[in-house]
Amino acid sequence: MSPDQHGDIWSLCQDPSSHSLHAYEDGVFISPAVPRAGEDIHVKIDGHLLSDVTGGQVSIDLKLLSMIKIKKDLELCSVLQSDIMGHRSCPLSAGDLVLEATAFIPKEIPKLPLDGRILISDQDGKTVTCIHLNFNLQ
């Protein structure tokens, strides 16, 4: 995927050429096109992983209307093995890879502009992938 590839509500952050997961052309999907409170959001990345990932971190840094901050750092293997990622095994082997995540957006979350990023790093702190989100929650 070229560094300028993006969707209506997302883009790859940092320098995508430095990511160890290279998404294929049209290999990033986020649905629905307009995320809604009280519904699931689904993210799928289809690409090629350059090296094995035996651990790491998922860093979530989101802001609603630039005021309400959601910041979490989670252990990557725990996230991969959770309901959100479909109980995927860890480690991740180099080669073709499809990562999928589904999360419920609570209906209590205010319908405000959301901006932020989700950064996945490996056991050495190197970026596996980073997705910047920017949309108005409906």
Side-chain angles (χ1 to χ4, degrees):
M1 174 171 280
S2 65
D4 61 347
Q5 286 282 30
H6 59 85
D8 292 336
I9 64 171
W10 66 271
S11 61
L12 295 175
C13 42
Q14 300 176 336
D15 176 6
S17 67
S18 70
H19 297 182
S20 61
L21 176 58
H22 290 194
Y24 296 128
E25 189 73 29
D26 298 322
V28 179
F29 308 92
I30 298 179
S31 63
V34 178
R36 300 183 183 284
E39 296 181 7
D40 284 341
I41 183 171
H42 183 79
V43 179
K44 178 180 177 183
I45 302 173
D46 185 7
H48 184 81
L49 186 62
L50 298 178
S51 58
D52 291 350
V53 175
T54 58
Q57 189 167 319
V58 178
S59 298
I60 301 166
D61 187 4
L62 303 173
K63 296 179 191 97
L64 288 167
L65 196 62
S66 298
M67 295 186 302
I68 302 169
K69 295 181 181 185
I70 301 166
K71 189 167 180 124
K72 289 186 178 184
D73 291 316
L74 307 167
E75 198 277 322
L76 176 59
C77 287
S78 295
V79 173
L80 288 171
Q81 295 166 350
S82 72
D83 290 342
I84 291 172
M85 299 290 290
H87 303 284
R88 186 173 185 99
S89 64
C90 189
L92 298 173
S93 298
D96 290 340
L97 177 70
V98 176
L99 283 180
E100 293 188 68
T102 300
F104 182 73
I105 302 171
K107 62 182 176 182
E108 297 79 22
I109 291 185
K111 295 176 178 87
L112 298 170
L114 181 139
D115 184 64
R117 71 179 192 169
I118 299 172
L119 169 69
I120 299 175
S121 56
D122 69 10
Q123 63 277 0
D124 299 319
K126 295 179 182 172
T127 299
V128 175
T129 193
C130 181
I131 296 180
H132 176 253
L133 298 170
N134 187 333
F135 59 85
N136 290 323
L137 190 59
Q138 300 295 307

